[in-house]
Amino acid sequence: ALFLKIKMSRNLFFLNKKAKKTLNIARGPAFTPHMSILYGNFLKKRKEEVIAELGRNILSKKIVINKAYLVKTQGPICKWKRVASFKLS
């Protein structure tokens, strides 16, 4: 997989808190905001090529995200289930 780290914000902090409450999760792993951009098992060299290409094109631009989805990610990707969605704006 390949993902972009996202700067923690007050909104993201409270979105995570709301998601944990929705799923009745008292504790869990530390929250690391990120956006997955590629799924699969890729060689490190291939990931570096993708990162280099993205760096030239998208990473210098502002990305606005107005909705987040809570997804149950057990099993293969085709079996993942959307649990809830949250408007961010």
Side-chain angles (χ1 to χ4, degrees):
L2 184 61
F3 64 91
L4 303 174
K5 289 183 181 179
I6 298 175
K7 182 179 174 183
M8 177 64 84
S9 69
R10 180 178 163 92
N11 286 343
L12 282 174
F13 175 82
F14 285 108
L15 181 64
N16 177 255
K17 190 174 180 177
K18 186 174 182 178
K20 286 180 178 177
K21 184 176 180 181
T22 299
L23 294 176
N24 198 28
I25 298 172
R27 293 183 177 246
F31 177 49
T32 305
H34 69 280
M35 182 174 73
S36 299
I37 57 171
L38 188 63
Y39 294 110
N41 294 318
F42 300 94
L43 296 174
K44 184 177 179 180
K45 183 177 184 204
R46 183 63 184 136
K47 287 182 185 181
E48 289 170 351
E49 292 169 353
V50 171
I51 291 167
E53 182 64 30
L54 288 175
R56 286 192 290 276
N57 294 308
I58 195 170
L59 298 181
S60 62
K61 296 178 177 30
K62 183 175 182 178
I63 299 172
V64 177
I65 300 170
N66 59 14
K67 189 178 258 190
Y69 294 94
L70 182 61
V71 179
K72 186 174 182 179
T73 59
Q74 292 179 325
I77 295 170
C78 64
K79 299 286 184 181
W80 290 6
K81 301 285 183 200
R82 187 182 301 169
V83 177
S85 64
F86 304 93
K87 286 188 176 186
L88 301 176
S89 57

